[in-house]
Amino acid sequence: MKKIFVKTQNVKNFIALINSLQNKPEGVSRMALVYGEPGLGKSRTALWLSAQNDAIYIRSTNLMTGKWFLEELVDELGEIPRYWTSDLFKQAVNKLTEKPQMIIIDEIDYLAGDQKTIETIRDIHDKTNVPIIFVGMTLAQKKLQRYRHLYDRLSEIIQFEAFSVTDVQDIVIQLCEVEVNEQGAALIHSHANRFRQIVRVINKLEAVAKTNNIQLIDENIIKEILKNDSKQNFENNKRTKHIIAG
């Protein structure tokens, strides 16, 4: 599979959001939220765009505290984290004031239940005016709505939508090592609408092409591959149910 970053419509929307944040006039909040169901490439896009924009990327975890978050932030800013939380906050603010950098916080759902951490992030934004983007799951927007002072600062909100037929065509055609026609790529949309699922299908296409020395994969070949894949999934589910019943 080719190592190419495919710009789906979701990715294009994320890029537009960043451009909008960076061009906000003085006095307008530069915080944003990107949310959506799993498997649509939110984290992958956030990582790629952080590299493209020299942004700080922090992935929240289930056990992360406010102090832990500040330590990660200070470390990403190239400083040695101090011990006291107040000192960590000052380090982060001073460094971001000296050299402003966009901050992308992934898996924000893990932090959404911690009011102090959420408000600390808001304070960092207010003191530095650096763009801060939250990336979260489907319920992230509702979780953040509990914090009115923060939610009112979200000047941009976008939802990652399910892949369209065009998105799936672009992913398959650009990533697959073997040529795939548009009709065949479109068929995959009804079978796989999550990135990992699409990648799994691409791997099968490449394996079939290599085994049978196929130069072009069309819709007829893909129909057969998807048919066999569905049959295999059915057999696996049947076997699992049998084991559970036993």
Side-chain angles (χ1 to χ4, degrees), residues 1-2 6 168-178 180 188 192 195-209 217 225:
M1 191 167 65
K2 299 174 185 175
V6 183
V168 175
Q169 286 177 319
D170 289 343
I171 293 170
V172 173
I173 291 172
Q174 292 184 45
L175 293 185
C176 191
E177 295 281 0
V178 184
V180 180
I188 297 173
F195 189 76
R196 292 184 187 88
Q197 295 173 341
I198 298 170
V199 167
R200 188 168 66 245
V201 172
I202 291 173
N203 287 333
K204 290 182 179 180
L205 297 182
E206 292 177 343
V208 168
I217 294 180
I225 291 173

Side-chain angles (χ1 to χ4, degrees), residues 131-169:
I132 297 180
I133 301 173
F134 296 137
V135 180
M137 300 292 285
T138 311
L139 295 178
Q141 184 179 19
K142 289 185 177 180
K143 290 178 180 179
L144 293 175
Q145 281 178 340
R146 292 179 293 177
Y147 308 106
R148 292 309 314 179
H149 291 301
L150 175 124
Y151 192 78
D152 289 343
R153 286 167 170 75
L154 298 177
S155 57
E156 302 283 341
I157 299 177
I158 64 169
Q159 180 177 3
F160 263 43
E161 305 287 352
F163 291 129
S164 66
V165 174
T166 301
D167 286 331
V168 175
Q169 286 177 319

Side-chain angles (χ1 to χ4, degrees), residues 98-129:
E98 175 189 326
K99 182 188 175 184
Q101 282 183 274
M102 180 169 62
I103 302 172
I104 298 177
I105 306 172
D106 200 0
E107 306 288 358
I108 190 60
D109 304 74
Y110 287 129
L111 299 178
D114 187 342
Q115 182 176 354
K116 288 184 178 180
T117 301
I118 290 296
E119 292 186 352
T120 296
I121 296 171
R122 184 199 72 192
D123 289 338
I124 290 172
H125 167 268
D126 290 353
K127 286 182 174 295
T128 65
N129 199 37

Side-chain angles (χ1 to χ4, degrees), residues 14-161:
F14 203 148
I15 293 172
L17 177 146
I18 288 177
N19 290 336
S20 178
L21 282 186
Q22 291 175 331
N23 291 303
K24 294 289 183 190
E26 192 70 29
V28 177
S29 175
R30 303 174 78 190
M31 299 187 77
L33 170 65
V34 176
Y35 72 102
E37 294 183 2
L40 298 178
K42 297 186 302 297
S43 293
R44 188 167 174 268
T45 303
L47 268 170
W48 184 76
L49 287 175
S50 65
Q52 299 298 310
N53 292 274
D54 189 30
I56 295 165
Y57 174 86
I58 297 177
R59 184 186 183 279
S60 308
T61 60
N62 190 33
L63 297 176
M64 183 172 275
T65 61
K67 183 179 180 181
W68 183 355
F69 169 81
L70 287 172
E71 287 172 341
E72 291 279 330
L73 177 57
V74 169
D75 184 62
E76 288 292 329
L77 288 167
E79 296 285 300
I80 299 174
R82 295 178 183 172
Y83 179 77
W84 299 108
T85 304
S86 58
D87 289 335
L88 289 167
F89 180 80
K90 291 174 183 175
Q91 276 186 286
V93 169
N94 290 340
K95 192 67 179 178
L96 287 168
T97 302
E98 175 189 326
K99 182 188 175 184
Q101 282 183 274
M102 180 169 62
I103 302 172
I104 298 177
I105 306 172
D106 200 0
E107 306 288 358
I108 190 60
D109 304 74
Y110 287 129
L111 299 178
D114 187 342
Q115 182 176 354
K116 288 184 178 180
T117 301
I118 290 296
E119 292 186 352
T120 296
I121 296 171
R122 184 199 72 192
D123 289 338
I124 290 172
H125 167 268
D126 290 353
K127 286 182 174 295
T128 65
N129 199 37
V130 298
I132 297 180
I133 301 173
F134 296 137
V135 180
M137 300 292 285
T138 311
L139 295 178
Q141 184 179 19
K142 289 185 177 180
K143 290 178 180 179
L144 293 175
Q145 281 178 340
R146 292 179 293 177
Y147 308 106
R148 292 309 314 179
H149 291 301
L150 175 124
Y151 192 78
D152 289 343
R153 286 167 170 75
L154 298 177
S155 57
E156 302 283 341
I157 299 177
I158 64 169
Q159 180 177 3
F160 263 43
E161 305 287 352

